[in-house]
Amino acid sequence: MTIPEPEGADLKPSYIEAGQPFNRDTHYIEDRLTRDARDGWPVEPGRYRLVAARACPWANRTAIVRRLLGLEGVISLGLPGPTHDKNSWTFDLDPGAVDPVLGIERLQQAYFARFPDYPRGITVPAIVDVPSGRVVTNNYPQITIDFETEWVEYHRAGAPDLYPVALRAEIDEVAELIFHDVNNGVYKCGFAGSQKSYERAYDTLFARLDWLEERLATRRFLVGDTITEADIRLFTTLARFDAVYHGHFKCNRNKLTEMPVLWAYARDLFQTPGFGDTIDFEQIKRHYYVTHSDINPSGIVPKGPDARGWLEPSGREALGGRPFGDGTPPGPPLPAERVPSL
């Protein structure tokens, strides 16, 4: 396949371009893992490894969906450390700083195994073909959709339908708004290269959060009465809001804890198996405050906020809804994949 010329990588020495708004590079490796192997990558248990750093919100989505659908025994999980340099995410949490399945120190090695001159950012999440050691895709929006639709044969008994056919148009519409204004909106604030672009992104972000506050005031979930792909995409940004985006990215009109509906909604999801048990607040803070040296040159990582508030009852059950629909919650995380308790 042909890789488009880079328009700006996620991993680079400086994240801020003076005088310019932040523009995310959304040209990903678009190969898919499908039942018909249309791109040469068939759905095959045990063949692929999901590399998904705990710190990254985009990778966090894939870890949540993998948990909810019970794909842990089908697709293994590699966990890079929370920081990286300008070249690549590294496996410094593993013994010898080497991924135990792929046998590599840097995710970059899997990219270069397929594209020796890969010109873009070495991003997570990434799916790697274990036999060849080659990256298959880093197209994170499609990875979760394919987990939900192409790997159905290997879903656990009681797995929820996170992308129901009847609601897909609405899920896609809501998710698109959330991506531009919230998921990527916080980055547009944090990496803005001018006052004007920062204030524009700031106003758009909080207008959308106000819209979400109103939308979720009378409904437990974003679309329908069960958890869907849309909720997962919003949750990973909300989980990082007070710990990182409020201060580090200057998204400081108010904290998440000061938005009663969104704060209760986020706690409801956090306390749902498959969500909070993928969140490591210390890795999240270390990633942003250490890696973004152009924003935080001292590298000091804040001690707060106190994360125990995430365990306070949300009261969202009063709105009805069934988190897993006709399905059931996932079991506990695999021992090697547990995060520190609050």
Side-chain angles (χ1 to χ4, degrees):
M1 67 176 289
T2 301
I3 300 294
E5 287 302 310
E7 294 178 358
D10 284 354
L11 306 184
K12 56 183 180 179
S14 177
Y15 294 83
I16 299 172
E17 186 175 355
Q20 299 298 317
F22 172 68
N23 290 309
R24 179 173 297 279
D25 178 9
T26 56
H27 290 92
Y28 299 104
I29 303 169
E30 295 184 353
D31 284 14
R32 295 175 57 191
L33 284 66
T34 58
R35 283 171 286 186
D36 64 4
R38 70 193 71 169
D39 294 331
W41 307 104
V43 166
E44 184 178 322
R47 176 170 173 175
Y48 305 102
R49 187 159 178 81
L50 170 65
V51 179
R54 295 283 189 208
C56 172
W58 320 100
N60 195 178
R61 298 178 181 185
T62 60
I64 292 171
V65 171
R66 175 178 171 270
R67 281 272 295 124
L68 295 180
L69 299 179
L71 293 173
E72 293 100 325
V74 179
I75 303 169
S76 66
L77 178 65
L79 293 168
T83 62
H84 57 68
D85 58 24
K86 65 180 181 180
N87 295 317
S88 180
W89 294 86
T90 57
F91 295 99
D92 48 287
L93 300 179
D94 291 310
V98 174
D99 181 273
V101 172
L102 300 174
I104 58 178
E105 298 174 345
R106 291 176 169 273
L107 180 58
Q108 184 184 60
Q109 292 167 260
Y111 278 74
F112 285 178
R114 185 170 178 202
F115 306 108
D117 299 317
Y118 189 74
R120 316 190 78 80
I122 307 299
T123 61
V124 292
I127 300 283
V128 179
D129 177 50
V130 175
S132 68
R134 298 183 300 166
V135 68
V136 176
T137 182
N138 62 346
N139 188 4
Y140 65 89
Q142 192 62 52
I143 289 173
T144 53
I145 297 297
D146 285 345
F147 281 177
E148 294 155 0
T149 59
E150 298 292 331
W151 290 78
V152 175
E153 181 181 353
Y154 301 101
H155 290 181
R156 65 178 176 85
D161 186 354
L162 300 174
Y163 198 50
V165 173
L167 298 177
R168 286 182 187 177
E170 186 177 1
I171 290 170
D172 292 346
E173 179 183 4
V174 171
E176 186 74 4
L177 293 173
I178 290 170
F179 168 74
H180 288 290
D181 298 347
V182 181
N183 301 144
N184 200 36
V186 293
Y187 287 86
K188 292 176 184 177
C189 291
F191 295 153
S194 71
Q195 188 71 32
K196 181 179 180 180
S197 60
Y198 161 70
E199 291 185 5
R200 183 187 305 116
Y202 177 102
D203 292 342
T204 300
L205 166 66
F206 282 101
R208 184 60 62 195
L209 291 176
D210 289 340
W211 178 83
L212 288 163
E213 182 92 347
E214 182 177 350
R215 181 182 181 93
L216 289 164
T218 57
R219 56 197 302 166
R220 190 172 178 186
F221 305 110
L222 280 170
V223 181
D225 65 353
T226 64
I227 291 168
T228 68
E229 174 78 13
D231 298 292
I232 295 164
R233 295 187 180 197
L234 176 58
F235 171 78
T236 60
T237 296
L238 296 183
R240 289 157 175 78
F241 199 89
D242 286 5
V244 175
Y245 303 142
H246 177 270
H248 185 59
F249 277 178
K250 306 179 184 69
C251 302
N252 61 355
R253 190 194 74 178
N254 52 257
K255 298 176 181 177
L256 175 65
T257 55
E258 296 166 344
M259 302 189 78
V261 173
L262 275 174
W263 174 222
Y265 165 81
R267 296 201 314 277
D268 187 19
L269 291 177
F270 185 90
Q271 295 165 29
T272 299
F275 284 82
D277 54 32
T278 69
I279 299 293
D280 186 322
F281 285 112
E282 291 308 311
Q283 286 201 33
I284 288 168
K285 289 191 295 184
R286 183 164 178 78
H287 168 69
Y288 285 90
Y289 284 98
V290 172
T291 302
H292 301 159
S293 57
D294 42 356
I295 298 177
N296 186 42
S298 71
I300 294 172
V301 179
K303 289 186 67 175
D306 188 341
R308 289 173 294 181
W310 284 94
L311 301 179
E312 296 175 359
S314 70
R316 297 281 293 178
E317 301 87 351
L319 294 173
R322 302 171 300 149
F324 297 100
D326 294 328
T328 58
L334 297 175
E337 297 179 10
R338 291 175 182 161
V339 299
S341 57
L342 300 183

